[in-house]
Amino acid sequence: MDRDYRAGRADRPLRYHAAMTRRSEQLSEELQDYTVAHSAAPDAVLSQLASETAAAFPDAAVMQIGPEQGTFMTLLTQLTGASRALEIGTFTGYSAICLARGLADGGKLTCCDISDEWTSVARRYWDLAGVADRIELQLRPAVETLRAMPATESFDIAFIDADKTGYVSYWDEVVPRIRPGGVILVDNTLYGGGVVDPDSADVNVAAIRAFNDHAVADDRVVLVLLPIGDGLTLARKK
């Protein structure tokens, strides 16, 4: 697509390349199918949302997470006992539903995005999924939203999946707001394998490499880069 502004700057031109996908890139198609078939299946609401997103935004639909990643995120949210969650980059709301469904009773999810067009779809599906009352949507650049929060605002789990050149800034804003023992998920951290391509001149590949180096050197967390989807970094705050 011509631009990716999900939670960052609307005036920043970025190109999402075709390697970003709703399947785990490191698996063959046969293994991908087997993995999905042997994981909890997305329900009718998530399946319908994926279909509508693909039809309405064919050039951007690759930004939506895949079904196995969505199930993983719901399970992880449940396992951490999370009641406060943060999402940076919401798109049409698939990942937000997965996070919101995993929250403890009375839990809240704050979503950051700047596209009213995409999040208008998200809001409809949050209603259909029965999670709208758990979600607060902030339509402005995510860094502005985070910096406007009270210093005491903290989260149990956060998911970063927005403009790649903003990842380091998002990380630096989010880590201090995660409680000890809390979790941060960061998407697209393999970027279609571009991170190990010495000939890549893609600005997003460079940004992901810089982020990966920045995050792994952060002694406030312990992290692992998982080959789920397009690469999913999982960090636990010490």
Side-chain angles (χ1 to χ4, degrees), residues 40-153:
D43 67 2
V45 173
L46 287 174
S47 296
Q48 183 179 335
L49 172 55
S51 296
E52 180 171 335
T53 300
F57 309 109
D59 294 332
V62 292
M63 294 195 299
Q64 191 172 76
I65 65 170
E68 75 279 16
Q69 183 173 333
T71 300
F72 175 77
M73 288 170 57
T74 299
L75 288 171
L76 186 63
T77 305
Q78 292 170 331
L79 288 168
T80 58
S83 60
R84 287 290 287 119
L86 172 70
E87 179 177 73
I88 299 178
T90 295
F91 191 37
T92 58
Y94 191 107
S95 54
I97 292 173
C98 297
L99 289 169
R101 284 177 167 172
L103 292 173
D105 291 345
K108 293 292 183 182
L109 167 64
T110 298
C111 290
C112 303
D113 208 292
I114 63 171
S115 171
D116 184 65
E117 180 183 17
W118 289 339
T119 57
S120 65
V121 176
R123 287 191 291 266
R124 284 195 290 108
Y125 278 90
W126 294 343
D127 283 330
L128 289 172
V131 298
D133 61 336
R134 304 177 206 173
I135 300 176
E136 172 196 29
L137 176 63
Q138 293 283 342
L139 278 177
R140 58 175 171 170
V143 169
E144 290 182 13
T145 296
L146 292 168
R147 290 176 179 170
M149 289 178 178
T152 55
E153 187 84 21

Side-chain angles (χ1 to χ4, degrees), residues 171 182 184 215 218-224 234-238:
W171 178 266
I184 306 171
D218 193 331
D219 62 8
R220 296 170 295 178
V221 304
V222 178
L223 63 76
V224 60
L234 167 61
R236 179 183 182 273
K237 189 172 179 182
K238 297 177 182 177

